[in-house]
Amino acid sequence: MIFLTAGESHGEALSVILSEYPAGVNIDIEFINRELFRRQLGYGRGSRMQIEADQVKILSGIKDNITTGAPIACLIYNNDFKNWVDKKQEPITNPRPGHADLSGLLKYHLSNIRDVIERSSARETAARVAAGAFAKLFLKNFDIFTFSFVEQIGNIKINQNSFKNIINKNFNHFKNKKDLEFINRIENSPIRCPDKDAESKIIDLINQVSQKGDTLGGAVKIFASGLPIGLGSYTQWDLRLDAIIAKSLISIPSVKAVLFGAGERSAELLGSEFHDEIFYERQKGFYRKTNNAGGIEGGMTNGELIEIKILVKPIPTTMKGLQTIDIKTKHKSKSFKERSDICAVPSIGVIAEAMLAIDLLNQMQKKFGMDNLEEITKNFNNYKKYINNI
Ligand SMILES: Cc1cc2nc3c(=O)[nH]c(=O)nc-3n(C[C@H](O)[C@H](O)[C@H](O)COP(=O)(O)O)c2cc1C
């Protein structure tokens, strides 16, 4: 599947076109809308999220809720558009450090930073979440799931001991009660965090930082369960699955690092400590007792859980303002500010799930067929049979 997004932050609508999405997939529009809603949540988001109530409008590629294989065009209207159409505004000339403002203005020969902000704004990620929801609906047919939680905001890290055993390669919140309970813990948390103690400390921190006119970043863990061995490839540099996923995740505005498996600990562990030794049982097939590789070796899935952490920098728009230069006068100035998020880390988990799901959809299509769900399912089952009988 290829997808392209278009649309400005305060334009009439965002749009996304999905091409080469398989035919025969049941599309639950309510599910897509729920995904859009999940992106809007999160303690620390600004008031814009109270104005928007994102809903997808599907214009093509679907008949009776089933995809036909034709390109799927979607719209997500911006409620805030009506408040901006006639708004008279002075040009913005004080670029924010940490944003696209200065380089974008110079690169495109623009004179008003507003013309940069409108497209560089992370509002665009709503269109990605819609595309990701289509990918998730496809993957669900194969019991492949992506999920995420917030691991850290500012200097507060959560305690992961109480749910270490729940997260495994067969995680399936549609089939297992414990998995569903875990997902509910995350989904019911205002910061998408499964540790209640850390949650209240983080909310306090967001409040304190907000009062000081400052902002926060953090870290998110993202997972994919139910994967077959051998998605991705070692045979060409750009076919490596870890490279493909890293590109997708780092493309999310404000994500500054993507770490697989043991992450930063990879640098200090010995080979004998790091590498996930290989075991075999008739029932289980090949398996590992550890997952320091994060489910990817040699650019391919190894059948274990994909486990990734991303690091997110603090939001660049601060009410305090930062030192900048007015592009007209070249005098010292304070950076531009308007209504803004204090912390967007919880939403970034939802966007990261979407990007990961899109990559996995593409890899499934590459290995098992592009066109039609039935054909892809047959090829997938044959391959699983081959792996199981080896
Ligand atoms: C969901 C989400 C919401 C964001 N909200 C804001 C915001 O309200 N204000 C802001 O200045 N930056 C916000 N950002 C971060 C900027 O979009 C990002 O830092 C900027 O585009 C520069 O990109 P870079 O950080 O990857 O260099 C948000 C990012 C995401 C993913």
Side-chain angles (χ1 to χ4, degrees):
M1 179 191 81
I2 305 159
F3 81 103
L4 272 181
T5 74
E8 277 81 30
S9 182
H10 300 94
E12 188 167 0
L14 294 166
S15 53
V16 54
I17 294 184
L18 318 182
S19 190
E20 297 181 83
Y21 184 89
V25 182
N26 200 326
I27 299 304
D28 175 356
I29 294 176
E30 274 319 299
F31 174 79
I32 303 173
N33 287 336
R34 261 201 314 281
E35 290 293 290
L36 291 171
F37 180 63
R38 289 174 72 227
R39 192 200 74 95
Q40 291 195 258
L41 298 174
Y43 198 80
R45 299 299 306 272
S47 53
R48 170 85 190 264
M49 286 306 116
Q50 278 137 41
I51 299 169
E52 299 302 339
D54 293 339
Q55 301 264 306
V56 71
K57 184 173 166 65
I58 302 174
L59 304 178
S60 66
I62 287 179
K63 201 176 156 209
D64 300 330
N65 287 333
I66 309 282
T67 55
T68 61
I72 301 166
C74 299
L75 288 179
I76 303 162
Y77 286 103
N78 290 319
N79 283 343
D80 210 13
F81 170 64
K82 56 183 180 301
N83 307 323
W84 283 66
V85 231
D86 300 321
K87 205 166 173 174
K88 283 269 165 292
Q89 284 186 327
E90 287 295 305
I92 302 166
T93 56
N94 44 346
R96 293 162 299 175
H99 242 292
D101 301 4
L102 180 59
S103 306
L105 184 101
L106 299 174
K107 175 179 168 69
Y108 291 101
H109 299 219
L110 302 171
S111 55
N112 183 353
I113 290 170
R114 175 64 63 200
D115 298 334
V116 178
I117 299 177
E118 278 297 314
R119 180 63 187 162
S120 68
S121 154
R123 177 83 190 128
E124 180 265 349
T125 58
R128 301 195 205 187
V129 168
F134 278 90
K136 286 184 176 192
L137 286 169
F138 167 86
L139 294 171
K140 196 176 163 204
N141 293 287
F142 303 90
D143 282 342
I144 297 172
F145 300 103
T146 56
F147 55 100
S148 69
F149 61 79
V150 167
E151 186 185 82
Q152 179 178 351
I153 288 185
N155 58 4
I156 301 176
K157 279 191 181 166
I158 72 166
N159 181 343
Q160 300 181 46
N161 287 337
S162 70
F163 52 83
K164 260 202 169 127
N165 296 333
I166 299 174
I167 300 175
N168 62 56
K169 66 177 173 185
N170 299 317
F171 189 94
N172 182 338
H173 52 293
F174 288 93
K175 290 197 178 139
N176 309 326
K177 207 176 139 213
K178 270 210 154 139
D179 298 350
L180 179 63
E181 278 168 11
F182 178 66
I183 287 289
N184 286 341
R185 256 161 85 180
I186 300 166
E187 298 301 316
N188 294 332
S189 161
I191 49 153
R192 299 188 42 73
C193 148
D195 170 4
K196 274 271 165 217
D197 290 341
E199 177 186 294
S200 54
K201 285 186 197 142
I202 287 172
I203 288 174
D204 286 347
L205 177 69
I206 295 174
N207 289 338
Q208 284 163 27
V209 166
S210 168
Q211 271 159 21
K212 291 183 186 147
D214 221 324
T215 58
L216 287 161
V220 178
K221 291 282 282 262
I222 308 120
F223 304 87
S225 63
L227 292 160
I229 292 178
L231 298 182
S233 176
Y234 58 91
T235 59
Q236 202 61 266
W237 66 270
D238 58 349
L239 300 180
R240 288 179 162 262
L241 183 59
D242 44 0
I244 292 166
I245 293 172
K247 179 180 175 182
S248 295
L249 296 180
I250 211 102
S251 79
I252 301 170
S254 74
V255 171
K256 292 297 127 195
V258 181
L259 304 162
F260 291 87
E264 55 270 66
R265 281 177 47 246
S266 313
E268 68 195 41
L269 294 177
L270 296 173
S272 55
E273 295 167 324
F274 179 90
H275 295 295
D276 308 311
E277 291 184 305
I278 302 174
F279 298 87
Y280 181 81
E281 272 174 36
R282 189 76 206 95
Q283 282 300 311
K284 282 187 175 174
F286 299 102
Y287 71 96
R288 317 298 174 97
K289 293 181 181 172
T290 52
N291 192 22
N292 289 324
I296 302 176
E297 289 172 312
M300 295 167 293
T301 50
N302 63 8
E304 299 300 314
L305 183 78
I306 288 190
E307 187 169 343
I308 304 169
K309 174 159 136 176
I310 55 178
L311 305 183
V312 178
K313 77 179 189 184
I315 296 278
T317 309
T318 67
M319 291 307 128
K320 257 184 177 171
L322 291 162
Q323 142 89 37
T324 191
I325 297 293
D326 188 291
I327 50 162
K328 262 195 170 154
T329 64
K330 311 291 184 300
H331 291 153
K332 197 172 148 181
S333 173
K334 278 278 181 199
S335 56
F336 166 71
K337 55 188 158 203
E338 67 180 355
R339 179 187 61 190
S340 176
D341 299 331
I342 309 296
C343 172
V345 178
S347 309
I348 288 172
V350 178
I351 302 159
E353 285 175 24
M355 295 306 287
L356 179 58
I358 291 165
D359 285 338
L360 295 175
L361 157 69
N362 276 322
Q363 295 304 320
M364 288 286 287
Q365 282 187 287
K366 217 163 182 174
K367 182 132 183 66
F368 302 115
M370 294 297 289
D371 303 332
N372 172 278
L373 181 64
E374 197 181 315
E375 191 177 78
I376 298 170
T377 307
K378 263 189 207 150
N379 293 337
F380 177 81
N381 290 338
N382 269 341
Y383 178 72
K384 279 212 136 172
K385 225 181 273 164
Y386 148 76
I387 295 275
N388 289 341
N389 291 329
I390 230 159

